[in-house]
Amino acid sequence: MRFLVLLLLLPLSMLSQKKFEQSHEFGIVGGTAYYIGDINPYKHFGGEKKLAVGLMYRSNLSRRWTVKGSFTYGSIQANDADSQDPWMVNRNLSFRNEIMEGALTAELNFFNYQIGNPKYPISPYLFLGLAYYKHKPQAQYQGRYYELQPLGTEGQGTTEGGDFYALNGISWPFGAGLKINLFSIVAVSFEWGMRKTYTDYLDDVSGKYVSPAVLSEENGVLSALLADRSLRGEDGTTSNAGFSRGDAGRKDWYNFSTVTLSIRLGKAPTTCWNQ
């Protein structure tokens, strides 16, 4: 934890360095989103590809260090039917989730880089930061999408379950990218970024099946219908109550893989770069 705090605070020490290296950018973001969790356990860029869009603002403290603020909206979606695992195919769950994220990250350029400067036109970079996100898992039933958290599909809010899970939280964005100058004040960056979360419910799947009778009586019939959509029961019966529905020991991750087109603010392109 001390290392993470140090890495986030280190760019601030650059503020006292050469002012001519400092600049600011504003950009638009587009790309795709995916997640790693119970319905897509291992495959990066797995699930159905959905659009991610956003805005970002960079403060370039030096040619090596940057602080970036961003807002990103993306949708993640996955389906057990797409799995090669027979157990998951039989489980037959699916979901979609809209994620809105505000993030503050520190970027470290591998090489000296400066937007618009022909001497420093390109650099790969690493980034790490802190984000706040909101999400809303949903599932489709008879052609209509229903929000899953209020239904308590794993017994939340019933005599067999605990509290409802949160629809917001903190995540740790980290990843890598590449910055390239295009014109005198315009640049493009390509970025792949994972988000470590502290929830196992981006997909509404975590623990065990609970009694469908309890769900129907205490949370409603729709809760029972969306909680267990398996093709057959684990023990050959029609109920999976007590059997594993997901892996509660592994938290969910989400990813934004994006392209950003940014414009340099403030400094005119005709200004001498050596000043």
Side-chain angles (χ1 to χ4, degrees), residues 126-193:
L126 298 175
F127 71 89
L128 172 67
L130 186 66
Y132 173 81
Y133 69 93
K134 298 182 68 175
H135 69 114
K136 186 173 62 176
Q138 300 175 319
Q140 189 177 40
Y141 179 69
Q142 294 185 344
R144 177 181 172 186
Y145 277 96
Y146 294 89
E147 294 184 23
L148 292 168
Q149 189 257 18
L151 296 177
T153 55
E154 293 191 350
Q156 299 95 336
T158 73
T159 53
E160 291 196 10
D163 297 331
F164 290 92
Y165 56 82
L167 293 178
N168 53 54
I170 298 297
S171 67
W172 294 93
F174 66 92
L178 178 68
K179 302 174 182 178
I180 305 173
N181 285 342
L182 295 181
F183 307 107
S184 58
I185 59 170
V186 179
V188 63
S189 57
F190 303 90
E191 187 171 288
W192 176 88

Side-chain angles (χ1 to χ4, degrees), residues 77-98:
Q77 188 165 336
N79 193 325
D80 274 341
D82 297 327
S83 175
Q84 301 299 312
D85 184 336
W87 183 86
M88 292 179 62
V89 172
N90 180 68
R91 183 177 59 179
N92 196 36
L93 292 175
S94 62
F95 84 104
R96 73 176 185 185
N97 197 341
E98 298 175 347

Side-chain angles (χ1 to χ4, degrees), residues 63-64 109-125 177-182 186-190:
R63 293 186 178 118
R64 287 297 183 95
N109 298 327
F110 278 24
F111 313 134
N112 284 335
Y113 171 82
Q114 194 167 23
I115 182 171
N117 190 338
K119 294 182 179 179
Y120 310 106
I122 186 171
S123 179
Y125 65 95
L178 178 68
K179 302 174 182 178
I180 305 173
N181 285 342
L182 295 181
V186 179
V188 63
S189 57
F190 303 90

